[in-house]
Amino acid sequence: MSLENSNSKGKAVIKEEVSPLTPVEQKPFAVMSNLDDKAMLKNEVEEVSLPILETAAPHHHQTPTNDVSGSDDNNGVLGGTSGVQDVGSSSASASAAHMMQQAAMQWGAVAAPTVVLPAFQQLDSSRILLIKEVMQHCVTALATGDVLAANTGLVIMSTLASADGEPLQRVAFAFAEALGRRALQQMLPGLYGGLLQLDFPSQPAAIGYTGATRLCFDALCPLLRVAASVANHAIVKAMEGEEHVHVVDLGGASPNQWLELLHLFAVRPEGKPSSLRLTVVSEEEGLLSCTAWLLHREAARLHITFTFNPVRSHIDRLSPHDVASFGVHGGEALAITSTLQLHRLIADVTSIDLPAVADHQHHGKKGKGKKQPKHQITMADALLRVLCDLSPKLMVLTEQEAYHNGACLGDRVRNAFDYYAALFNDLEAGGAPRESADRAAVERMLLRQEIMDIVARDGSSRRERHESVMGWAQRMGMTGFRPMHLQVSRFDAFADPGLLALQLSLHGTLRYWVAQDNTCFIIYANMTPMFSVTAWRPATTTGE
């Protein structure tokens, strides 16, 4: 698939290609015949695994069929379809092959392995179906105001969940807690509000813990490190021949990403840039000071003239004054990165003035411009317009490849469960001990809070409004950006050997893989799309 703009107004046009994939073997899932049997809560269910799959190169085109309106339809890979399979009448291999074929249809020249892939590590699909049925029961009961029926469902969930058990038990625990908080909101809203303040404190100590937990996540899970590597290579490629480079990080990136960027610029074929300036938006004073010290030391060792510009703010509160403090000026080639940040601004709405319309446009006479009514847009769109006006040579956007922004709670719960089950499973696949303090911090402070936000919160207080790359393509196009060819080779051609080694789990199964075309990289955990990396530039920019 490629994202292109047909005119200078920045409207994204989606082009797709088909890449069929051929399953080598088919093994059906075990199908549970009686979901009402209470005995299954005590019995171990039969383990299943996906068959070995072989991928093929794309060879023909097909007219696009997917709706890019941002609806909650979850049938397509890019809409949030998960590798955590439901049990049904179709076989596991047919479902897996269909999903990978859908991925190929979306992304055209997919960077798929040319060898037979090892079997994916698979969660217990029968128990997944049971958990989903129980959660749907809770959601339906809450929608009808039947708190007692919801409580019954939560009691059943508690028998399936454990904060320190297997990955499926751990993710079920987080969702049971979130649904329990939502039930409490309907029964005792005052108590719910107090507990929510404990979950999402705004004190500086809690802010510092967030950054430390994100570093733990990067250490235990390679997915965002893969995204960072893609972003860095895109930046270096876009800055070919530029002597004065300015990179603005809107937040969310790890200091390790900027260490790698320094090393990439140090070995650039045409030589090191004359100056490199890095602006980082963060309200974590400790993170800013440590990052500055680390990067200054490494830049000195590499003989790169380096400047670190900290902006003490947060994406939720980024003001015009903060944007001005980026210090963007002529003579520097500007690159902007945003890592898991912009989705937080979709909940907020602001007003903008539309261009005045002259009276003679309506009456055929010369006259004073007629003031138009204010237009409502999201804060994400407003910020993107401001960033577009800075004329960056490149903007790299990394976001969750999922759709958790629907109004329907049932759809949000179902989509989010598939997504976070894959993340919890990846932590296990990477070999992190179940009793590990770092793993507990990631699961209970980072992932748990995201789940709590998606499930238990509503309105403007719900910040984790993840959207798929199709939704971001529309949003970026409407705010003045157009897709930019990444112009980087296949991930396995430039990735750090350490990252490539992490593609296999401790059990020898495939842990993650990367699909790409010339405008987008999608990072998968098993069969579940997790993160997307896209590159953009102002639609008015010449070239390409």
Side-chain angles (χ1 to χ4, degrees):
M1 189 205 84
S2 63
L3 307 175
E4 297 181 359
N5 285 80
S6 59
N7 54 47
S8 61
K9 297 182 181 295
K11 296 181 180 178
V13 177
I14 312 300
K15 294 185 178 181
E16 304 181 10
E17 301 174 357
V18 177
S19 177
L21 297 105
T22 306
V24 173
E25 183 182 1
Q26 293 188 358
K27 297 178 183 178
F29 278 110
V31 179
M32 300 175 61
S33 59
N34 183 9
L35 294 177
D36 296 325
D37 187 358
K38 297 181 180 179
M40 64 185 170
L41 297 180
K42 301 178 182 179
N43 298 331
E44 292 295 324
V45 290
E46 179 183 357
E47 293 186 357
V48 295
S49 62
L50 286 174
I52 294 176
L53 299 176
E54 183 174 13
T55 60
H59 71 282
H60 65 281
H61 299 264
Q62 178 172 310
T63 303
T65 57
N66 284 1
D67 178 17
V68 294
S69 61
S71 66
D72 220 13
D73 185 2
N74 197 29
N75 293 327
V77 170
L78 299 181
T81 300
S82 172
V84 182
Q85 297 287 327
D86 289 345
V87 177
S89 59
S90 61
S91 69
S93 58
S95 299
H98 172 71
M99 289 164 56
M100 291 190 72
Q101 185 177 28
Q102 289 286 57
M105 289 171 62
Q106 296 290 352
W107 299 113
V110 175
T114 56
V115 298
V116 176
L117 303 179
F120 289 96
Q121 182 175 346
Q122 184 70 11
L123 292 172
D124 187 335
S125 58
S126 299
R127 192 164 292 268
I128 286 171
L129 179 62
L130 173 59
I131 293 173
K132 285 186 174 182
E133 294 246 341
V134 174
M135 290 194 301
Q136 186 59 45
H137 170 82
C138 293
V139 169
T140 302
L142 290 173
T144 59
D146 192 345
V147 179
L148 291 179
N151 183 67
T152 301
L154 291 171
V155 170
I156 298 174
M157 281 284 288
S158 68
T159 68
L160 301 168
S162 170
D164 53 5
E166 298 176 353
L168 196 53
Q169 292 176 309
R170 291 173 179 238
V171 71
F173 181 87
F175 275 84
E177 182 185 17
L179 286 168
R181 292 291 177 89
R182 194 169 184 96
L184 185 63
Q185 181 184 24
Q186 295 187 205
M187 296 174 58
L188 301 168
L191 178 58
Y192 165 82
L195 290 174
L196 208 58
Q197 289 299 318
L198 293 176
D199 281 330
F200 300 93
S202 57
Q203 288 80 9
I207 293 171
Y209 281 131
T210 301
T213 306
R214 178 65 71 184
L215 291 176
C216 288
F217 179 78
D218 288 342
L220 297 177
C221 178
L223 302 179
L224 280 179
R225 287 154 61 191
V226 172
S229 182
V230 172
N232 280 344
H233 280 82
I235 291 172
V236 172
K237 186 68 177 178
M239 297 299 169
E240 284 184 350
E242 297 291 348
E243 286 298 319
H244 303 282
V245 178
H246 184 189
V247 179
V248 173
D249 170 19
L250 296 180
S254 165
N256 293 325
Q257 176 174 347
W258 307 129
L259 275 176
E260 182 193 34
L261 186 65
L262 282 174
H263 283 261
L264 290 176
F265 274 121
V267 296
R268 197 171 63 162
E270 65 269 32
K272 305 168 187 176
S274 299
S275 67
L276 174 63
R277 187 152 62 103
L278 175 64
T279 295
V280 176
V281 178
S282 176
E283 55 186 356
E284 300 179 36
E285 191 63 44
L287 178 65
L288 288 173
S289 59
C290 289
T291 301
W293 175 82
L294 183 67
L295 296 181
H296 275 296
R297 186 186 67 171
E298 190 65 12
R301 190 182 72 81
L302 296 172
H303 304 288
I304 294 177
T305 303
F306 177 75
T307 304
F308 184 79
N309 176 33
V311 176
R312 292 165 177 81
S313 186
H314 188 272
I315 192 72
D316 291 352
R317 295 171 290 280
L318 205 59
S319 66
H321 177 268
D322 293 328
V323 175
S325 64
F326 292 173
V328 175
H329 57 76
E332 288 182 332
L334 176 65
I336 301 174
T337 69
S338 174
T339 305
L340 312 185
Q341 297 296 300
L342 285 181
H343 66 260
R344 299 182 57 84
L345 300 181
I346 295 177
D348 299 326
V349 177
T350 187
S351 298
I352 62 170
D353 291 319
L354 294 177
V357 178
D359 289 341
H360 66 83
Q361 291 184 5
H362 296 286
H363 307 292
K365 302 177 182 178
K366 292 184 179 180
K368 201 172 181 181
K370 185 176 182 181
K371 189 175 182 181
Q372 297 295 300
K374 296 227 177 238
H375 180 62
Q376 299 287 319
I377 62 172
T378 70
M379 287 296 293
D381 296 337
L383 178 58
L384 285 171
R385 288 169 181 253
V386 172
L387 297 176
C388 189
D389 289 340
L390 296 178
S391 299
K393 192 167 185 180
L394 168 75
M395 178 167 180
V396 181
L397 180 65
T398 301
E399 282 289 344
Q400 287 89 346
E401 183 54 28
Y403 188 70
H404 304 147
N405 192 27
C408 175
L409 176 62
D411 290 338
R412 292 207 311 269
V413 169
R414 184 167 52 253
N415 294 349
F417 184 84
D418 287 345
Y419 185 88
Y420 286 98
L423 275 182
F424 275 73
N425 192 47
D426 184 78
L427 294 174
E428 179 94 351
R434 293 180 180 176
E435 65 276 7
S436 163
D438 288 347
R439 179 174 174 179
V442 169
E443 292 180 342
R444 299 175 191 177
M445 294 183 61
L446 182 65
L447 303 183
R448 167 187 169 272
Q449 286 201 6
E450 290 183 6
I451 293 168
M452 188 73 68
D453 185 277
I454 293 168
V455 176
R457 307 185 91 172
D458 282 316
S460 60
S461 62
R462 179 160 57 87
R463 314 302 297 181
E464 299 298 330
R465 294 177 174 266
H466 308 151
E467 292 188 348
S468 72
V469 71
M470 292 299 190
W472 285 110
Q474 287 189 324
R475 193 177 298 278
M476 297 296 287
M478 289 188 295
T479 54
F481 285 94
R482 66 181 176 89
M484 179 178 176
H485 295 305
L486 286 166
Q487 297 181 347
V488 295
S489 55
R490 285 173 43 140
F491 173 71
D492 56 3
F494 65 76
D496 179 87
L499 275 181
L500 290 177
L502 293 175
Q503 282 193 286
L504 293 182
S505 71
L506 293 182
H507 307 289
T509 56
L510 191 63
R511 186 179 179 186
Y512 78 85
W513 59 287
V514 181
Q516 71 182 82
D517 73 352
N518 56 10
T519 58
C520 183
F521 279 66
I522 302 290
I523 302 157
Y524 285 74
N526 284 351
M527 299 294 288
T528 307
M530 303 305 298
F531 299 103
S532 65
V533 183
T534 51
W536 307 86
R537 71 189 318 170
T540 54
T541 302
T542 58
E544 269 199 332

